[in-house]
Amino acid sequence: MRLIITTQVSTRANFRAKLCVARQKHGNQTFSDSVELLREDRNR
């Protein structure tokens, strides 16, 4: 049971870190839908 909880905490921490990076990178941009986000990601 402890391993599952540790994995969940780690997964959430990774998600939050990725979200923080994305907000810093794209914070001032407005995207109307996910197609624009995919296009931006592909063009990097």
Side-chain angles (χ1 to χ4, degrees):
M1 184 69 167
R2 178 168 236 168
L3 178 61
I4 293 171
I5 293 171
T6 304
T7 303
Q8 288 175 345
V9 169
S10 177
T11 302
R12 288 180 186 156
N14 289 338
F15 171 78
R16 288 186 182 122
K18 289 179 183 180
L19 185 59
C20 183
V21 169
R23 283 182 175 155
Q24 289 174 354
K25 186 172 185 178
H26 301 290
N28 295 328
Q29 297 175 349
T30 302
F31 297 98
S32 62
D33 58 25
S34 61
V35 173
E36 289 184 49
L37 287 171
L38 291 171
R39 187 177 303 123
E40 282 287 319
D41 191 40
R42 189 174 40 238
N43 292 334
R44 280 193 264 149

